[in-house]
Amino acid sequence: MNEVMKTILSRRSIRKYEQRQLEEQDLQEILKAGSFAPSAMNQQSWHFTVIQSREVIDSIAAAAGKALGRGEPFTPFYNAPTLVLAFGQEDAISPVSDASLALENMFLAAASLGVGSCWVNCVIDFFERTQDGKVMRKTLGIPDGYRCVGSGIFGYPAERPAPKPRREGTVHYIR
Ligand SMILES: Cc1cc2nc3c(=O)[nH]c(=O)nc-3n(C[C@H](O)[C@H](O)[C@H](O)COP(=O)(O)O)c2cc1C
């Protein structure tokens, strides 16, 4: 099996992280992989906000938990040291697809570098549907005209989850 296939098949969502920050080279390679994702009409309609401040990540979690009425403790980012908020240009052809593909490229690149990752979804509700989220967008400097598509957390893994079984019957052949 080639190395790309090995990476794809061994990537897992990681929910326990070491506290040391990502090496800058790893972060830059991960972001570069994101920027090489395919996008509708090559619009590259994504915008990423990389947050490596524990204080800021925790403040987003606390504000989101409060605004969304989640119980405490609310730790959607699993104390990962790096959070990448993914936004898509509202007037692009396929902003959700574009930014999602970029995130997946980042997850695979991360796995190839020994970096753990996980998609975290609650940021969509927080930034798109709550007043506090709209205020925080300004605080974080998110540009106008972009919608939140999701987020990815990154860090060196402190767990090795077992492979998850894959669903059967999801492919239908006509040939
Ligand atoms: C659109 C999407 C939203 C997700 N949201 C969350 C989330 O909010 N929190 C979380 O811990 N995992 C989240 N995940 C990760 C999935 O739970 C995970 O990919 C799935 O259980 C399969 O496990 P694997 O990634 O290890 O193969 C999300 C994944 C996707 C694709």
Side-chain angles (χ1 to χ4, degrees):
M1 195 187 295
N2 73 36
E3 293 304 314
V4 174
M5 281 302 291
K6 279 186 204 161
T7 298
I8 291 171
L9 299 190
S10 63
R11 182 211 53 81
R12 293 269 73 78
S13 292
I14 298 299
R15 299 183 176 88
K16 283 193 186 130
Y17 291 91
E18 292 181 11
Q19 282 314 292
R20 70 189 163 107
Q21 189 50 270
L22 289 186
E23 300 287 339
E24 186 61 21
Q25 194 180 336
D26 286 345
L27 173 66
Q28 292 307 324
E29 285 200 46
I30 289 165
L31 295 172
K32 185 170 191 175
S35 77
F36 274 73
S39 61
M41 297 287 286
N42 193 28
Q43 286 186 328
Q44 303 174 39
S45 65
W46 44 68
H47 176 88
F48 298 105
T49 297
V50 179
I51 305 174
Q52 295 194 297
S53 155
R54 160 76 26 232
E55 198 187 339
V56 174
I57 294 173
D58 287 348
S59 73
I60 297 170
K66 190 164 164 248
L68 300 173
R70 305 289 177 91
E72 287 195 25
F74 183 55
T75 52
F77 307 123
Y78 306 107
N79 295 313
T82 294
L83 169 64
V84 176
L85 300 174
F87 289 81
Q89 217 171 333
E90 274 163 9
D91 59 2
I93 299 166
S94 283
V96 176
S97 308
D98 292 351
S100 300
L101 285 165
L103 270 181
E104 173 63 352
N105 261 21
M106 290 187 207
F107 295 150
L108 290 174
S112 79
L113 296 166
V115 172
S117 66
C118 185
W119 181 301
V120 176
N121 224 34
C122 66
V123 290
I124 302 175
D125 279 346
F126 177 52
F127 286 117
E128 296 303 314
R129 296 185 191 110
T130 73
Q131 194 49 39
D132 288 353
K134 288 181 181 145
V135 171
M136 186 158 278
R137 285 171 79 115
K138 298 275 175 213
T139 312
L140 296 172
I142 310 297
D144 291 337
Y146 283 79
R147 62 188 276 198
C148 185
V149 167
S151 69
I153 50 174
F154 297 88
Y156 299 106
E159 65 168 356
R160 300 264 168 218
K164 282 189 179 169
R166 296 289 121 178
R167 279 175 60 197
E168 301 284 333
T170 58
V171 181
H172 174 206
Y173 297 94
I174 300 172
R175 53 190 178 188

